[in-house]
């Protein structure tokens, strides 16, 4: 949850996816074959031809078409993911994004969200682990108000589905952290309540009551997660360590 899972305390900022077989009817009736014989043949075989167990052309086409359609969908998802990562790459996690860049990333993200393979993300173990934030529109997380040398270089987020806990972690130069309780609102959306900040990853400070928000997970697979916050921000993360668990 990236980062409606984020909150900025007074101390150094924490952030926190047919073959149509055109079935050509076998017109192999020789012109000299008697018409009455054809009629008798069709009559005698009527029951077999219309048997419920016989495979109609429509059913046959549907079965043949399933696998190409499935493979095509997977290919489309892979293509969209590649396109999204290419769009994000030069944007410094979003800090260098122009409004046009933001619009392009958002459009690709929406196409991926439309083919989300995990319909109930909060019931999926794919959420567990350590994620790296690779793009966001949240200025508080990007810390664009600071000189570049004072911005966190990398932001991570740990999630435990079983304990409904989350942890946001900054790297250099401040190494701040924040932990939060997650309350499911439905199978895709959580309420986020931050409980403790850790300055430099060491000094605990209790989070104020207003440090809360909501986050909806709109796309999830084993590599990529897309989320949208209650303030309209977009968060895109990649999995870096599926074995990681938020400390108790």
């Amino acid at each position: 949850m990236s980062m409606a899972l984020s909150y900025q305390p007074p101390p150094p900022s924490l952030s926190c996816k047919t073959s149509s077989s055109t079935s050509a009817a076998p017109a192999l009736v020789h012109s000299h074959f008697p018409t009455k014989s054809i009629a008798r043949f069709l009559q005698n075989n009527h029951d077999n031809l219309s048997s419920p167990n016989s495979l109609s052309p429509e059913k046959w086409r549907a079965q043949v078409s399933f696998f190409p359609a499935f493979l095509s969908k997977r290919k489309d998802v892979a293509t969209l993911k590649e396109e999204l990562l290419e769009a994000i790459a030069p944007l410094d996690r979003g800090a260098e994004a122009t409004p046009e860049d933001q619009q392009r990333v958002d459009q690709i993200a929406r196409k991926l969200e439309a083919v989300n393979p995990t319909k109930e993300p909060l019931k999926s173990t794919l959420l567990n682990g350590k994620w790296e934030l690779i793009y966001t529109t949240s200025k508080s997380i990007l810390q664009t108000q600071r000189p570049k040398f004072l911005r966190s270089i990398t932001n991570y987020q740990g999630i435990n589905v079983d304990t409904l806990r989350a942890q946001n972690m900054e790297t250099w130069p401040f190494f701040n952290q924040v932990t939060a309780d997650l309350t499911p609102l439905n199978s895709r959306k959580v309420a986020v309540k931050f409980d403790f900040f850790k300055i430099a990853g060491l000094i605990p400070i209790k989070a104020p009551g207003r440090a809360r928000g909501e986050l909806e997970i709109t796309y999830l697979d084993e590599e990529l997660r897309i989320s949208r916050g209650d303030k309209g921000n977009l968060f895109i993360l990649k999995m870096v360590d599926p074995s990681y668990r938020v400390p108790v």
Side-chain angles (χ1 to χ4, degrees):
M1 305 129 225
S2 226
M3 317 246 164
L5 274 167
S6 71
Y7 173 77
Q8 294 295 308
S13 162
L14 285 176
S15 325
C16 343
K17 148 161 2 122
T18 107
S19 105
S20 65
S21 20
T22 16
S23 125
L28 298 178
V29 180
H30 296 290
S31 58
H32 65 271
F33 197 70
T35 304
K36 290 182 180 180
S37 298
I38 297 173
R40 280 196 302 273
F41 173 81
L42 292 174
Q43 182 60 41
N44 291 339
N45 288 276
H46 172 74
D47 292 340
N48 288 334
L49 291 170
S50 59
S51 166
N53 296 323
S54 62
L55 193 61
S56 67
E58 291 76 12
K59 290 181 180 178
W60 181 81
R61 281 196 295 270
Q63 291 186 13
V64 170
S65 300
F66 172 80
F67 290 104
F70 174 74
L71 294 173
S72 174
K73 183 176 180 179
R74 291 192 64 178
K75 182 179 179 182
D76 290 345
V77 169
T79 301
L80 284 170
K81 285 168 65 173
E82 184 178 349
E83 186 179 350
L84 182 64
L85 294 175
E86 287 178 357
I88 288 172
L91 303 181
D92 187 17
R93 299 181 301 152
E96 303 294 332
T98 65
E100 291 76 18
D101 292 327
Q102 291 182 343
Q103 184 177 19
R104 180 174 177 234
V105 171
D106 188 80
Q107 288 173 345
I108 303 170
R110 289 185 185 279
K111 291 178 183 178
L112 265 173
E113 290 167 332
V115 291
N116 179 20
T118 310
K119 303 306 179 185
E120 297 184 313
L122 292 174
K123 297 180 181 180
S124 174
T125 56
L126 291 176
L127 263 182
N128 286 328
K130 187 176 184 180
W131 299 82
E132 179 184 345
L133 181 70
I134 58 174
Y135 176 86
T136 184
T137 55
S138 170
K139 292 183 179 179
S140 63
I141 293 174
L142 293 170
Q143 304 166 353
T144 52
Q145 77 280 6
R146 299 181 184 178
K148 194 166 185 176
F149 70 93
L150 290 178
R151 301 174 192 171
S152 62
I153 294 175
T154 311
N155 292 66
Y156 295 106
Q157 185 176 79
I159 296 180
N160 284 21
V161 175
D162 51 348
T163 59
L164 290 173
R165 292 285 288 166
Q167 175 190 29
N168 290 344
M169 299 159 275
E170 292 181 355
T171 59
W172 175 267
F174 297 112
F175 299 97
N176 294 323
Q177 297 181 18
V178 64
T179 51
D181 284 321
L182 308 177
T183 302
L185 302 176
N186 56 43
S187 62
R188 292 161 47 106
K189 193 173 186 178
V190 292
V192 182
K193 185 180 185 303
F194 297 97
D195 48 18
F196 282 96
F197 296 101
K198 280 190 177 180
I199 307 304
L202 297 171
I203 306 168
I205 298 177
K206 188 173 175 59
R210 67 180 182 276
R212 59 181 68 220
E214 293 181 2
L215 193 73
E216 184 173 13
I217 302 163
T218 54
Y219 180 92
L220 176 67
D221 65 22
E222 65 279 1
E223 301 172 322
L224 193 73
R225 172 159 57 94
I226 301 175
S227 301
R228 294 184 183 269
D230 55 341
K231 294 180 176 59
N233 286 311
L234 173 65
F235 308 95
I236 301 174
L237 303 93
K238 69 176 182 179
M239 173 59 72
V240 292
D241 183 3
S243 68
Y244 182 83
R245 294 297 178 269
V246 178
V248 178

